[in-house]
Every structure is written in C-alpha cells, then in structure tokens.
Amino acid sequence: MKRWVLLLLCLALLCAGCGKETNREDFRFTYREAEIGINAEAGPVLYRLGEPVQCTQSPSCALEGMDTTYYHGGIYLTTATVEGTERIIRAWFADDTVCTGEGLKIGDSRDRAQELYGPEGFREDGIWEAVRGNTRLVITFAEDTVDGIIYEVA
C-alpha cells in the first residue's frame, strides 16, 4: 500500500511541471489578465485589454485585406481577418512590464533565457527561436541581454 501511495505522489509531482507551461501545445502569455495566444480570436482579448493607446492599419503582407496593430502600453498586437474572424497573428513586447508565459521579460539575461528555455534554439547571431504548436517565439539579444520578444504564426 505504501508503494502505491509513493508511486501516486511521484506521478502527481511529475504532472505538476514545477509551474512552467512547458506542456502547452503552443506558446502563450498573459498581459493585464488576458491570456494571449497566436491565432486566437482577437475580440475577447482586445476587450479584456481595454482601449488601446494607439491603433494603426496597413495592407496585409501574408493575408488578404488589412492588418491592424493595437498598442496597449506594454505590447503590440497585430490582427488580421482569417476565414471571417479577426485573429491575433503577431505580438511583440514593447518594454519590461510584460513577460512570457515562462517568465522571461525584456532586460533579463541570456542565462535566464537559457534557464527557462534550455540551450536548444540559441543561434550565434544573438537570436533564440523555437516553434511550439502554431506559434513561433523569437527572442533577440543585445550582447547578453534580452532586447526583443516576439510571438508570431509559425
């Protein structure tokens, strides 16, 4: 009986994942209590974020119609109409007030990024890149400091 209890306890600890979101099917982050994922329906996210500081439109490079970019203080979100629904196709961080789902923010060290994401994906040109599900996460570095975080459609 003690073996079963110990086995179940070990399994529960393994499933807990130490608080990291490594078991997600794609990269996501939370900003102002809104969970944001690439290709998510934009309406509910934009509603939770409130009125944007700035909103611009430009012809879409990848899709038909227009792309709309919303600036919400800490992040820029670009949306496009996909099959009749406005969807988030890109997000990039403007400052250190927002962090990735794993806890990385602009200004953190390269060592911190490697601690959170592991050594795979780091390139010599100062960029870390990985794809999870339909999302590409790109982290850029100036010397050994994070200076850009971008989520986009993979």
Side-chain angles (χ1 to χ4, degrees):
M1 180 69 172
K2 287 182 182 180
R3 286 184 186 175
W4 283 107
V5 171
L6 184 57
L7 178 62
L8 290 174
L9 180 60
C10 288
L11 286 174
L13 289 173
L14 286 172
C15 292
C18 301
K20 289 186 180 180
E21 296 186 16
T22 55
N23 292 331
R24 296 199 73 108
E25 60 187 48
D26 56 7
F27 289 107
R28 293 176 179 268
F29 67 98
T30 301
Y31 183 66
R32 295 185 183 164
E33 299 183 14
E35 184 179 62
I36 300 169
I38 298 302
N39 208 33
E41 189 173 333
V45 172
L46 296 172
Y47 178 79
R48 290 213 56 154
L49 293 175
E51 196 67 31
V53 174
Q54 183 180 11
C55 179
T56 59
Q57 286 192 318
S58 61
S60 182
C61 294
L63 303 165
E64 292 183 20
M66 302 292 280
D67 288 348
T68 304
T69 299
Y70 300 89
Y71 173 58
H72 282 277
I75 60 169
Y76 291 89
L77 294 177
T78 299
T79 66
T81 301
V82 179
E83 297 177 359
T85 302
E86 185 180 19
R87 298 200 172 274
I88 297 169
I89 60 168
R90 191 165 197 240
W92 67 98
F93 295 2
D95 58 36
D96 64 357
T97 62
V98 60
C99 63
T100 66
E102 294 77 18
L104 190 72
K105 65 180 190 269
I106 291 177
D108 282 348
S109 69
R110 183 182 186 99
D111 289 341
R112 173 77 173 139
Q114 281 191 305
E115 174 186 314
L116 293 171
Y117 295 104
E120 298 82 24
F122 282 93
R123 303 186 331 211
E124 290 182 23
D125 60 357
I127 295 175
W128 178 89
E129 181 177 355
V131 174
R132 188 184 296 162
N134 71 350
T135 306
R136 178 184 332 282
L137 175 57
V138 179
I139 302 168
T140 60
F141 298 87
E143 298 182 22
D144 284 333
T145 303
V146 175
D147 73 341
I149 299 174
I150 304 162
Y151 292 81
E152 59 190 9
V153 174

